[in-house]
Amino acid sequence: MLDPLLPLRFLLLVFAGLANQEQASVVEFLREENRVLREQIGKRRLRLTDSQRARLAVKAKALGRSVLAAVATIVAPDTLLRWHRMLVAAKWTHSSRNAREPGRPPVMSRIRELTIRMARENNRWGYTRIVGALRHLGHDVARTTVAKMLKSAGLEPAPERPTSWRTFLKAHAGQIAAADFFTVEVWTARGLVTHYVLVAIDIATRAIEVLGVTPNPDSSFMAQVARNLTDSVDGFLRAKRFLIVDRASIFDQGFRRILNGAGVRLVTTAVAAPNMNAFCERLVRTIKDECVSRMIFFGDGMLRRALAEFVSHYHEERPHQGIGNVVPMPAAEAMPSDGPVLRRQRLGGLLSYYHRKRRAG
């Protein structure tokens, strides 16, 4: 059965190719225009303002030395990177330098840092919006002052500040989950047998689930996994709209059909692009590093018990940096602030959890 989205994907690829070709032509034109302007200037030295240097330095840092060597024509790549280092250094000497300069007293450095933080964290906030937010915090700053501070930091006006990919993912994380396979070698009566483990992760909460363990992930296995995922009572995807997976053929049409019937879209990553499923890739690495790569399994029952212990440790005992370094599913009872420290061990001490002893009664 043909994928109904195949024509749409083909058109997207065509448009993406045309857009890339147009962008390349625009870049080449701008480079040639810079060369012509440089020839008109001759050997005369360009005199740039501090604001112009700052804007170029911020853009240059994002490109890196190798790309700059191909596109920079006004100044050398090393000069652009040196300007960026000077810009970073100026951040720490801003207050002391301004104290010696005549004119209007400088804005306190903490207000400047707060202004830049607001602009970076809210790409659609203009100068007036930032002025209002600062006034709400007790800082009365003029709109022109905000504009100067952002310009000196190399930040563009609101319409030209793009939405970061991190911000986009955070805004939609509650509706996204991801899944991936990894393999474990298990000793059986038939010798060493490769077992396939399918895991899933909730992008918003970092909750995980082992969806299945099998030496033969065929279509019937995948169909049962899909039904479990979309169960209306306790399915892992019951509140999700998207599931990110790689392009493996194991995620077949039957699997897709069951998910689509439950209102869940399967989002496949690009070829050789594991970072598009980074959350699940990192989960797999954690399971291997902290559990399965440190054990020898005799029978699939031993593997399943080890995975169940890891999932409990992951949810109830292991802090996660992505959610503020807290435990995804902490105990309902608060831990005492003092008392003896105890160690809870899982899998013979491979997994450890330290907690304070709770008082009886």
Side-chain angles (χ1 to χ4, degrees), residues 88-149:
V88 173
K91 171 184 176 182
W92 303 105
T93 59
H94 179 80
S95 297
S96 60
R97 183 177 66 249
N98 277 348
R100 298 190 298 269
E101 294 176 353
R104 183 181 178 186
V107 179
M108 289 186 299
S109 60
R110 60 189 180 91
I111 298 180
R112 180 178 183 275
E113 292 173 2
L114 183 58
T115 301
I116 295 172
R117 173 186 170 185
M118 287 180 175
R120 285 177 173 160
E121 293 178 350
N122 304 276
N123 66 297
R124 308 308 300 173
W125 282 18
Y127 303 143
T128 304
R129 179 67 177 84
I130 294 175
V131 167
L134 290 172
R135 184 174 293 119
H136 177 69
L137 297 174
H139 303 304
D140 193 5
V141 182
R143 186 179 185 278
T144 54
T145 303
V146 170
K148 289 178 180 177
M149 287 190 290

Side-chain angles (χ1 to χ4, degrees), residues 39-349:
E39 291 170 0
Q40 292 291 327
I41 295 172
K43 296 183 178 180
R44 286 179 297 171
R45 183 179 177 181
L46 288 175
R47 298 188 179 276
L48 303 178
T49 66
D50 289 342
S51 174
Q52 290 169 337
R53 291 192 184 97
R55 287 153 51 197
L56 285 174
V58 171
K59 300 296 184 184
K61 184 61 177 177
L63 292 178
R65 189 185 301 274
S66 59
V67 177
L68 285 175
V71 301
T73 58
I74 296 179
V75 293
D78 287 337
T79 301
L80 288 169
L81 297 176
R82 176 169 55 83
W83 287 350
H84 184 268
R85 292 193 296 271
M86 293 170 62
L87 184 64
V88 173
K91 171 184 176 182
W92 303 105
T93 59
H94 179 80
S95 297
S96 60
R97 183 177 66 249
N98 277 348
R100 298 190 298 269
E101 294 176 353
R104 183 181 178 186
V107 179
M108 289 186 299
S109 60
R110 60 189 180 91
I111 298 180
R112 180 178 183 275
E113 292 173 2
L114 183 58
T115 301
I116 295 172
R117 173 186 170 185
M118 287 180 175
R120 285 177 173 160
E121 293 178 350
N122 304 276
N123 66 297
R124 308 308 300 173
W125 282 18
Y127 303 143
T128 304
R129 179 67 177 84
I130 294 175
V131 167
L134 290 172
R135 184 174 293 119
H136 177 69
L137 297 174
H139 303 304
D140 193 5
V141 182
R143 186 179 185 278
T144 54
T145 303
V146 170
K148 289 178 180 177
M149 287 190 290
L150 297 186
K151 192 173 183 181
S152 67
L155 294 175
E156 304 286 352
E160 300 176 29
R161 293 199 301 270
T163 301
S164 69
W165 182 243
R166 180 184 296 272
T167 300
F168 179 83
L169 281 181
K170 284 184 176 180
H172 297 81
Q175 297 182 322
I176 304 175
D180 198 9
F181 273 99
F182 67 92
T183 60
V184 181
E185 299 300 324
V186 178
W187 286 100
T188 68
R190 294 177 294 153
L192 204 59
V193 176
T194 300
H195 280 61
Y196 295 82
V197 181
L198 179 59
V199 293
I201 183 170
D202 185 323
I203 303 300
T205 66
R206 298 299 197 273
I208 67 172
E209 185 170 314
V210 176
L211 303 177
V213 180
T214 179
N216 182 30
D218 55 14
S219 57
S220 60
F221 170 82
M222 293 304 297
Q224 185 59 53
V225 167
R227 287 190 288 269
N228 294 341
L229 278 170
T230 56
D231 186 274
S232 59
V233 177
D234 59 357
F236 194 76
L237 298 179
R238 62 186 181 279
K240 304 298 178 184
R241 291 187 57 195
F242 303 99
L243 178 66
I244 302 174
V245 297
D246 60 26
R247 305 181 72 85
S249 59
I250 199 169
F251 298 105
D252 56 15
Q253 289 299 320
F255 181 83
R256 294 171 182 269
R257 193 180 306 112
I258 295 173
L259 261 62
N260 288 338
V264 179
R265 286 284 304 275
L266 207 64
V267 180
T268 53
T269 63
V271 177
N275 283 341
M276 293 184 69
N277 197 6
F279 291 100
C280 212
E281 293 282 347
R282 187 63 180 86
L283 169 63
V284 168
R285 177 182 165 185
T286 299
I287 297 175
K288 288 183 176 180
D289 288 348
E290 298 184 9
C291 183
V292 298
S293 294
R294 299 176 180 271
M295 299 181 66
I296 299 175
F297 297 101
F298 300 94
D300 63 352
M302 183 178 177
L303 172 60
R304 294 174 189 274
R305 286 191 295 273
L307 291 172
E309 284 290 298
F310 177 83
V311 170
S312 297
H313 170 73
Y314 186 98
H315 284 155
E316 303 167 12
E317 303 166 352
R318 188 181 186 278
H320 297 273
Q321 296 180 9
I323 52 174
N325 216 23
V326 299
V327 175
M329 300 179 183
E333 183 182 354
M335 185 182 300
S337 57
D338 58 1
V341 176
L342 306 179
R343 179 192 181 196
R344 180 188 300 165
Q345 301 182 58
R346 296 180 186 268
L347 301 178

